[in-house]
Amino acid sequence: METGKLELILGTMFGQKTTELILKLKKFEHGSNYEVQLFKPTIDTRYATNEIVTHDGLRMNALNANNASDIVDQINPKTSVIGIDEAPFFDSELIEVIKRLVYDNRKIVIVSGLLYNFRNEFFQFSDGQKDMSDLLALIPDEIVYKKAFCKHNLRTGEDCNQETMMTQRFMPNGTVAPYNDPLIMLGKENITPEEKANLKRTYSPRCREHFKHYDEVLRK
């Protein structure tokens, strides 16, 4: 009897996590006897509403889910392989949903998401009850860590380019975002253009040397 399997694709922003997810799913799609479904959080409308799209334009059709239980409600009984993008944007119920899909329903589940937040802490799920370390505790069959290159500009004018798993968040004026900045900036509705501009944040990969840690000064 075919057994379930859990694969995780974890890393930093700009590490090509979604690219890896799409390529894995398309490989199953092109194989025999595999029905594939891909899910994304409804709040993620950055590039498209019914697709996931990478920074370099690779795309794949996806179903929107408001929460983890919404994923279960939309699964086709014939589906063998389930992809889940941007895992931390779902609620903590995602942990139990994945366990049931893998252990009880014997599905192949491939999950992609940020491992750490901009504070360099395990990324919490949207309800704050659990974090990505709980996903690691499910003992996945495979983990792919996707790194990016540090974009800190050196005095030579070149980027540092050390591989890293950390991402720094910056405010519109270029300063490091405060520790108490909201973890998830997506899904803000009914706001003025000025408020929208104030919500804009930029992100850049930073290595251990160039990541500005949130010590007591930056926490204030």
Side-chain angles (χ1 to χ4, degrees):
M1 182 180 293
E2 188 172 336
T3 60
K5 183 178 181 181
L6 175 60
E7 299 183 21
L8 303 182
I9 304 168
L10 307 173
T12 182
M13 293 185 71
F14 311 109
Q16 297 189 323
K17 301 180 302 301
T18 301
T19 298
E20 183 80 10
L21 175 62
I22 291 177
L23 292 177
K24 279 180 174 286
L25 294 177
K26 286 187 176 294
K27 183 177 180 180
F28 278 109
E29 231 177 18
H30 295 154
S32 61
N33 300 322
Y34 285 109
E35 292 288 337
V36 176
Q37 281 185 284
L38 172 59
F39 295 91
K40 63 186 285 289
T42 303
I43 63 171
D44 187 4
T45 57
R46 288 171 294 178
Y47 298 104
T49 55
N50 297 309
E51 296 177 303
I52 61 171
V53 184
T54 67
H55 294 296
D56 54 1
L58 188 65
R59 60 182 64 225
M60 185 172 181
N61 291 335
L63 295 168
N64 289 288
N66 295 314
N67 48 50
S69 62
D70 201 17
I71 293 175
V72 177
D73 293 339
Q74 298 183 77
I75 293 176
N76 187 318
K78 295 182 179 179
T79 296
S80 307
V81 182
I82 297 166
I84 301 172
D85 194 35
E86 300 292 3
F89 294 174
F90 288 101
D91 57 305
S92 298
E93 179 64 19
L94 185 67
I95 299 295
E96 293 302 316
V97 165
I98 291 172
K99 284 173 64 176
R100 292 198 301 271
L101 291 173
V102 174
Y103 289 98
D104 299 337
N105 300 332
R106 300 178 180 272
K107 305 291 187 184
I108 298 172
V109 181
I110 308 175
V111 183
S112 172
L114 292 163
L115 183 58
Y116 304 114
N117 58 31
F118 71 91
R119 303 168 184 165
N120 202 31
E121 301 168 345
F122 281 114
F123 212 123
Q124 290 183 322
F125 291 101
S126 61
D127 58 4
Q129 299 300 308
K130 294 182 179 181
D131 61 41
M132 292 294 281
S133 67
D134 294 289
L135 191 56
L136 290 170
L138 294 181
I139 313 178
D141 299 275
E142 180 181 345
I143 305 176
V144 177
Y145 289 106
K146 303 295 290 184
K147 299 179 181 180
F149 294 102
C150 177
K151 293 303 179 183
H152 176 79
N153 194 258
L154 304 173
R155 292 180 180 178
T156 60
E158 300 177 340
D159 290 336
C160 167
N161 281 333
Q162 291 291 320
E163 281 195 311
T164 182
M165 290 278 285
M166 296 183 283
T167 305
Q168 195 93 64
R169 179 190 282 180
F170 295 92
M171 302 295 286
N173 63 4
T175 60
V176 173
Y179 181 86
N180 61 356
D181 215 30
L183 287 176
I184 299 176
M185 303 296 296
L186 301 178
K188 305 290 184 181
E189 299 178 351
N190 300 321
I191 58 176
T192 66
E194 182 179 358
E195 289 173 326
K196 186 175 182 179
N198 289 334
L199 286 172
K200 186 175 178 61
R201 304 287 189 272
T202 57
Y203 299 84
S204 183
R206 288 291 188 270
C207 66
R208 295 182 189 278
E209 180 180 356
H210 298 122
F211 183 88
K212 294 185 178 179
H213 291 274
Y214 287 91
D215 55 19
E216 291 305 314
V217 174
L218 285 175
R219 285 175 184 263
K220 295 179 180 179

